[in-house]
Amino acid sequence: MTGRIIFASVCTAVMLLAAGCSNNDISSEQSSEPLISESSASEIRELAPVSTDNFTFTAVTQADYNEQLEKIQEEKGDVIILGNLERLCTEHEYGCDDEECIEFLGREWTLFGTPVDPGNNEDLFSYFISAEAKDGRKCCLAVCQYSNLPSIDGPVIEGYEMCADAAKELAELIRNTEISEFEWVGNGTYSENGMEIIYSYKGGKALVESYLYGLSNDEIEEKFSSMSEEKFNEWLEKQAEIYYESKK
């Protein structure tokens, strides 16, 4: 998907070496050990379906989502194009700020419970949603966030324009839902690359933390400010070795 940008709260070695790194967290609680996510692709909390004027939305597993896509493809006989049907954040051209992203996840959490850890892609989280129209037609949607772009994705194919209508109603539903307290650790390829993003909403405050090789932004900044560029690179490479060894 085009227009995606890197998480503002993650400081990579490249960013550090270029200009240093400032922690732009809404609020942060730093610790030496990152938190651990407990979600899996098969984990769906049993919550009642939610209805709007024209659709009923139900959280389903990724397998159910894929099955609906296959049925649409069989019916249409075409290759399905998955596209961004609706962006949740419309106030900014390139995405939400951290606080807005966290609040959107809190609203989705209220509606559909714990999200799915995508594991093998770069989305911070995913929800797979079945949207059923009043006439019984169904469309599969994915509520996800890549970088700071929370959006609703789905099939873009002739004959299934209802998917775009469903995405609009789902987006409006999310925007008008109360925020739940939660804590979520982003994994996927971010974790594979030594990065972890932690979103949480507690006591009415949006919190974001980021780690590189298990180190907080503050820990990395301290080392960067006290070393030459060459020594910092050597130190960071060593931290990467320690991090990946611990994951074996």
Side-chain angles (χ1 to χ4, degrees), residues 8 14 40 45 47 53 77 80 91 97 102 131 144 153 172 219:
V14 174
S40 70
R45 192 200 302 177
L47 295 180
D53 291 341
I80 291 177
E91 297 300 316
D97 60 33
I102 292 166
C144 52
D153 297 349
E172 192 63 21
E219 290 171 307

Side-chain angles (χ1 to χ4, degrees), residues 2 7 12 29 38 74 95 99 124 143 165 205 218 228:
T2 60
F7 276 95
T12 65
E29 298 174 352
E38 297 292 341
E74 288 173 3
E99 183 174 17
L124 183 66
V143 182
D165 295 334
K205 292 180 65 177
D218 286 348
S228 67

Side-chain angles (χ1 to χ4, degrees), residues 9 18 24 38-39 43 69 96 103 106 117 122 127 134 141 144 150 154 159 178 181 190 206 216 220 235 243:
S9 58
N24 295 322
E38 297 292 341
S39 184
E43 183 180 357
L69 283 178
C96 306
E103 290 177 353
D117 182 347
E122 294 186 1
Y127 287 95
K134 300 300 183 183
L141 301 172
C144 52
E178 292 185 0
E181 292 200 344
Y190 290 111
S216 70
I220 294 174
W235 174 81
Y243 175 84

Side-chain angles (χ1 to χ4, degrees), residues 126-146:
S126 296
Y127 287 95
F128 299 103
I129 308 297
S130 176
E132 183 173 357
K134 300 300 183 183
D135 60 9
R137 290 182 300 157
K138 290 185 178 180
C139 182
C140 44
L141 301 172
V143 182
C144 52
Q145 181 177 317
Y146 180 103

Side-chain angles (χ1 to χ4, degrees), residues 43 68 85 91 132 180 209:
E43 183 180 357
Q68 282 197 28
L85 300 179
E91 297 300 316
E132 183 173 357
S180 286
E209 300 172 69

Side-chain angles (χ1 to χ4, degrees), residues 73-198:
Q73 187 164 349
E74 288 173 3
E75 178 185 330
K76 299 300 297 180
D78 295 321
V79 175
I80 291 177
I81 299 174
L82 294 178
N84 174 217
L85 300 179
E86 189 74 16
R87 285 176 57 172
L88 293 178
C89 182
T90 58
E91 297 300 316
H92 312 294
E93 184 178 358
Y94 298 110
C96 306
D97 60 33
D98 284 327
E99 183 174 17
E100 290 170 313
C101 288
I102 292 166
E103 290 177 353
F104 276 127
L105 179 52
R107 299 178 198 282
E108 292 150 15
W109 206 293
T110 301
L111 293 168
F112 304 115
T114 307
V116 169
D117 182 347
N120 62 352
N121 63 33
E122 294 186 1
D123 288 332
L124 183 66
F125 63 85
S126 296
Y127 287 95
F128 299 103
I129 308 297
S130 176
E132 183 173 357
K134 300 300 183 183
D135 60 9
R137 290 182 300 157
K138 290 185 178 180
C139 182
C140 44
L141 301 172
V143 182
C144 52
Q145 181 177 317
Y146 180 103
S147 188
N148 284 50
L149 296 171
S151 62
I152 301 173
D153 297 349
V156 180
I157 189 169
E158 185 178 351
Y160 274 83
E161 290 79 7
M162 64 164 286
C163 294
D165 295 334
K168 287 185 183 300
E169 288 202 20
L170 178 55
E172 192 63 21
L173 175 64
I174 292 170
R175 293 185 188 110
N176 290 286
T177 296
E178 292 185 0
I179 306 169
S180 286
E181 292 200 344
F182 72 91
E183 186 172 87
W184 178 254
V185 180
N187 284 306
T189 56
Y190 290 111
S191 184
E192 292 174 13
N193 292 323
M195 297 180 188
E196 288 183 322
I197 315 292
I198 303 173

